[in-house]
Structure formats: C-alpha cells, structure tokens
C-alpha cells in the first residue's frame, strides 16, 4: 500500500506561477523565495511581500483552469484559488517558503507582516491561512479579518477556503454567515455552509428577514438558504410571504429553502405550484446541483 504524501501547497503555487510570470517576476520569485527559506527576518519577510508589487501588477487575475484547480481542491479540500490575483498568489508562495512554519517564531513573523501590511498584502495573508501548518493557531487573526469593514478582506477569510468552516466555533461561524448575507457575499463560495447549518443560524436569519421587512427593504435572496431544515413553522410562513412578493430572486431563494427542508417539491398547494411553474428552469438547475449551496449560483 502506498504511503500518502503530504500536499505541498508551495510547490502547487509555484507550478501555477511559473508560466504566468514574466522573466523579471520569476527572477524575483526565485531570489525572494531563497532568501525567505534561508531564514529572512520578520522585517525582511514583510519587505519582500511588499516588494512583490514592483514585479507583478495588482489586479491581474490568476485565472487557473479547472484542470489546475482540481488537484489543489483535492490536496486542501475546500480551497479554490480561482478568485485569487497573480500578485496575491506570488505573496502567498513567498510566505510558504518560510522555514519551520510549525515552530514558535513563525506566528510572530506572520503577525508582524499583518501589522505592517497594506490592503493588498493583508488579503494575501488572510488567503494563506488555510495553507499554513498548524493553522488553528491563527483563529484570532482570521476573526479580525471577518470583523473588517472592507469587503475584500472579509472575502479573503470567508470565501474559497476551508478555514472558517474547519476552525471557527459556532458563534464565530454564525456571525460570518449572517455578515455574508448582509453584505451580499456569494454564499456558494463559503465552504462548509451545507455542513454547518443549525437551528440558531436559522433563527438569526429569520430575525434578519423580519428586520429588513420592518424597514421596508427586500430580504436578501441568499438568506433563505441559511434555514435549511431548521426553519420550522416560522420559516415556512416567512417563505410563503416571500413567494407572494414581486421579487424573482427572492422567490427562487425561497423555493431553494423549501427543497432543502426535505419535502419534495410536489406543488401540492396553489401558492407553491404557481411559484414552481414560474421558476421551473431554476428549480431544475438547483435539482441538478443537488439543492446544495452551489445552486445559489443560479439565483
């Protein structure tokens, strides 16, 4: 029987970067990686992360293909760098070149980098958390990112990464999901929602729905996904009210919630049958997605 090998995120990122970087940028990557791996000080590490922007312009997407993403998601389940930039990827690769990341000095160096990081560097550092050995040591730092009022920082922690679903406690997890709904971050990009639904999360979502309606505002269509099978009679009445509103996205979100209660979409009652007929294409798309969080792509 073959002994499974440990996934090497640094090597995987190197494979992505090589053909995408210019000759100058690759020369910097090799030189800086060597310097970091040979024990660069925390000050120098932060400087190298900042210097990366001189060699790769911000805003260029990494844009990996499906065949490139597949082994990455297999190596770190829940990780998808499809929304990373090329500069963020370079910075994460440099960080992963650090020696003895499991030791006591690395968290100090990492926090130093966070302390002096600009916005772009902070995004890269937050994206890196799930790839670090002993990453449960950085839950406090991830929580700080989730409390940020900058959406891009929040997304760097919450989206396309298994970190929050794996390491956040129930309180922090529920706060992350409700904030994502509130600021309209795509829930289908938050790994683990299907696994971590709960009655308390459903209650918080319904409270938010009531607050929005009391203020005369639409309910975010994604909110209904948070109920899962935990909405109860209150959830059913709220969903029925949503289906009566003139909001096509909200109606589709409500239908997805009904499907996720475990009851078949049979259309037994008139109000449900009308909605099913109106949104038949969405219901079929959601069915093909298994009524999972991926169905939210079609809202």
């Amino acid at each position: 029987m073959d002994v499974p090998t440990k996934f090497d995120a640094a090597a995987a990122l190197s494979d992505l970067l090589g053909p995408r970087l210019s000759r100058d940028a690759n020369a910097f990557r090799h030189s800086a990686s060597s310097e970091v791996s040979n024990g660069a000080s925390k000050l120098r590490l932060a400087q190298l992360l900042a210097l990366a922007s001189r060699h790769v312009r911000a805003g260029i997407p990494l844009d990996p293909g499906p065949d490139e993403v597949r082994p990455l998601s297999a190596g770190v389940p829940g990780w998808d760098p499809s929304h990373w930039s090329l500069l963020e990827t370079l910075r994460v690769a440099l960080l992963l070149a650090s020696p003895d990341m499991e030791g006591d000095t690395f968290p100090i160096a990492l926090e130093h980098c966070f302390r002096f990081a600009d916005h772009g560097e902070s995004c890269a550092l937050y994206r890196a958390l799930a790839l670090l050995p002993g990453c449960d040591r950085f839950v406090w730092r991830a929580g700080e990112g989730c409390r940020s009022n900058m959406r891009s920082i929040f997304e760097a922690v919450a989206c396309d990464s298994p970190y929050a679903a794996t390491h956040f406690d129930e309180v922090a997890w529920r706060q992350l999901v409700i904030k994502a709904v509130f600021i309209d971050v795509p829930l289908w990009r938050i790994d683990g929602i299907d696994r971590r639904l709960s009655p308390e999360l459903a209650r918080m979502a319904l409270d938010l729905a009531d607050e929005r309606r009391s203020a005369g505002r639409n309910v975010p269509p994604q909110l209904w996904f948070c109920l899962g099978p935990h909405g109860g009679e209150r959830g059913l009445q709220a969903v029925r009210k949503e289906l009566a509103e003139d909001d096509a996205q909200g109606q589709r979100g409500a239908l997805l919630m009904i499907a996720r209660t475990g009851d078949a979409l049979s259309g037994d009652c008139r109000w449900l049958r009308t909605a099913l007929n109106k949104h038949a294409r969405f219901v079929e798309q959601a069915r093909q997605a298994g009524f999972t969080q991926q169905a939210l792509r079609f809202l």
Side-chain angles (χ1 to χ4, degrees):
M1 179 178 177
D2 293 335
V3 177
T5 58
K6 185 176 181 180
F7 179 73
D8 190 339
L13 292 181
S14 180
D15 290 342
L16 289 176
L17 287 167
R20 288 173 167 84
L21 296 179
S22 67
R23 181 179 299 178
D24 167 74
N26 265 315
F28 168 78
R29 175 170 66 93
H30 290 302
S31 173
S33 295
S34 177
E35 190 173 346
V36 172
S37 64
N38 285 325
S41 68
K42 62 183 182 181
L43 176 61
R44 183 57 177 164
L45 174 60
Q47 289 174 338
L48 290 170
L49 295 178
L51 287 171
S53 63
R54 296 187 180 182
H55 302 274
V56 177
R57 184 163 47 87
I60 301 174
L62 177 63
D63 196 24
D67 291 341
E68 292 176 305
V69 172
R70 197 171 297 112
L72 305 182
S73 298
V76 182
W79 176 37
D80 182 354
S82 296
H83 292 84
W84 288 24
S85 73
L86 195 58
L87 179 55
E88 286 174 334
T89 308
L90 174 57
R91 284 170 165 157
V92 174
L94 295 181
L95 181 67
L96 293 181
S98 301
D100 194 23
M101 286 188 287
E102 298 184 44
D104 294 335
T105 59
F106 178 73
I108 298 171
L110 179 64
E111 190 57 34
H112 177 85
C113 291
F114 270 112
R115 189 175 306 156
F116 295 100
D118 66 14
H119 172 263
E121 293 158 28
S122 292
C123 286
L125 292 169
Y126 280 116
R127 290 194 189 282
L129 292 181
L131 307 179
L132 301 176
C135 58
D136 56 324
R137 295 175 292 173
F138 310 115
V139 170
W140 174 85
R141 169 49 66 182
E144 286 293 290
C146 286
R147 286 185 284 273
S148 172
N149 59 7
M150 289 184 282
R151 177 182 172 127
S152 53
I153 294 290
F154 176 83
E155 289 185 351
V157 180
C159 295
D160 313 312
S161 166
Y163 193 89
T166 303
H167 299 291
F168 277 19
D169 64 22
E170 288 298 323
V171 173
W173 171 254
R174 292 193 297 266
Q175 290 173 343
L176 179 150
V177 174
I178 293 298
K179 180 173 181 176
V181 171
F182 188 79
I183 65 175
D184 200 29
V185 168
L187 292 188
W188 60 265
R189 290 179 54 198
I190 299 180
D191 180 65
I193 286 188
D194 279 314
R195 303 190 304 272
R196 294 196 63 177
L197 294 170
S198 67
E200 181 61 15
L201 179 60
R203 183 197 64 76
M204 292 172 67
L206 288 169
D207 286 349
L208 177 58
D210 288 345
E211 291 172 11
R212 300 277 292 196
R213 283 175 170 154
S214 296
R217 303 174 68 185
N218 289 344
V219 176
Q222 299 184 111
L223 178 144
W224 306 111
F225 184 88
C226 299
L227 305 188
H230 304 293
E233 183 61 27
R234 182 188 176 193
L236 181 62
Q237 293 305 316
V239 163
R240 185 169 182 175
K241 184 181 295 185
E242 185 66 24
L243 289 172
E245 298 287 341
D246 187 23
D247 181 347
Q249 273 197 318
Q251 291 174 351
R252 291 193 289 269
L255 287 174
L256 181 58
M257 176 269 171
I258 292 174
R260 290 174 59 82
T261 62
D263 297 328
L265 287 176
S266 60
D268 292 337
C269 46
R270 182 175 301 174
W271 59 270
L272 180 55
R273 186 164 58 247
T274 300
L276 287 171
N277 291 337
K278 181 178 180 180
H279 300 288
R281 182 170 179 270
F282 166 73
V283 172
E284 181 55 32
Q285 289 173 321
R287 194 189 307 278
Q288 291 178 9
F291 298 115
T292 67
Q293 67 191 77
Q294 295 306 312
L296 291 168
R297 293 171 179 258
F298 308 116
L299 286 181

